[in-house]
Structures are given as structure tokens and as C-alpha cells.
Amino acid sequence: MGGIKQCRAAWLVTGSCLFSLWWPVSFALASSDSAKVISAMTVTEDKHGSKSTSKPAVIALVNLDEVSPDCQQQVTMARIKTVAYSESGMTPEKIKFDWQGNALDVATNVGENPVLTLEEIQAAHQFIRVGKQYLIHFQLCSDGQQRSLINLYATLNPPNRPARKMKS
């Protein structure tokens, strides 16, 4: 949990953090009965920069599937290309992203997870966005034919700063 606390502190001070730098590398204890939607408070300013408000924002979906010792685990930074939703449109069922030069569809396990509440499923729906970059932890089973999402982390980039002009 130190990674979340460090990132939350960095977010409050700088408005940015990158989970891949602080998040623990050990994924051996992941389990679908402990799935969680992780949120942190974000601070925003009005257009004049005077008022700041804070609201919770989803920063990660964790333990969406059990880690299988018979499967190959992968971690990559990638942009989501497409999202396939359930028939109702409420639940993100699959995400597609580029991995090792191929477009890869991965089941999210959001709708099949018995511990996620309706509010958490809605939060996951809001969190997963086409074009957004994530740190994606997934597994490949049965020679890569079955693909399953384990963890999905937001990558929060620092704000763009104007380039400094060099004095000549």
C-alpha cells in the first residue's frame, strides 16, 4: 500500500504521479474475490486559478482475476484502442490495445466479479477510456488464446510546461 500513499502525496503536491515507479512488483496474491476500485482525491482549480475543489477519481482497478500459475503474466504500458461493452452498455467486457506489435483483446472481468458493487462497475466504466494510457497487468492462458485483465493502473502525467527560452 505504500505505493498508493506515495502517489497520493505526490498527486496532492504536484498534481501527478506514475504508478509504475512505486507500485509493488509482486502480484502473487491477486484474487478475484478481493477485486477493488481504487480512488484518490484530485484537486482542480477553476478557470481563474483561484478556487480549488477536490473530488474522488478512480486511479486503478486491482485484483480483477485470480493469478493462475499455469498462465503467463505480462505488464505493459499501452493506450486503449477500443472497449467492448456488455449488451446493456454498463459493463466494459473487453479492452483492445497494442502489445508486441499486435492488437490484443483482453477480458476485463468487471461484470463477472461478484464483489464489485453497481457503483464500482459504473466507476470502472468511467475509468476505462479509449485513447488513454494505462499500466496493464494481464495474463495469457492456453497458449495465449485466453486473455484476462488482472490490474489496470492510470498513468498520471505531469502537466505540460512551456519550454524555457534560452538567453543569448
Side-chain angles (χ1 to χ4, degrees), residues 49-69:
S50 59
K51 288 186 180 178
S52 64
T53 58
S54 60
K55 63 178 185 170
V58 176
I59 57 172
L61 304 174
V62 296
N63 301 337
L64 294 174
D65 196 12
E66 294 181 18
V67 174
S68 175

Side-chain angles (χ1 to χ4, degrees), residues 23-34:
W23 201 258
V25 178
S26 172
F27 297 109
L29 299 175
S31 172
S32 66
D33 64 348
S34 64

Side-chain angles (χ1 to χ4, degrees), residues 98-120:
D98 285 332
W99 182 66
Q100 295 184 345
N102 298 311
L104 193 66
D105 282 318
V106 175
T108 66
N109 306 310
V110 171
E112 291 79 30
N113 205 297
V115 298
L116 294 179
T117 66
L118 180 59
E119 291 80 20
E120 289 172 323

Side-chain angles (χ1 to χ4, degrees), residues 62-108:
V62 296
N63 301 337
L64 294 174
D65 196 12
E66 294 181 18
V67 174
S68 175
D70 300 331
C71 299
Q72 181 186 25
Q73 294 183 54
Q74 300 293 329
V75 177
T76 187
M77 291 282 266
R79 291 195 188 284
I80 302 292
K81 293 177 77 168
T82 62
V83 180
Y85 293 95
S86 62
E87 197 173 302
S88 69
M90 283 280 303
T91 307
E93 290 187 337
K94 287 186 178 185
I95 58 173
K96 182 182 280 189
F97 55 91
D98 285 332
W99 182 66
Q100 295 184 345
N102 298 311
L104 193 66
D105 282 318
V106 175
T108 66

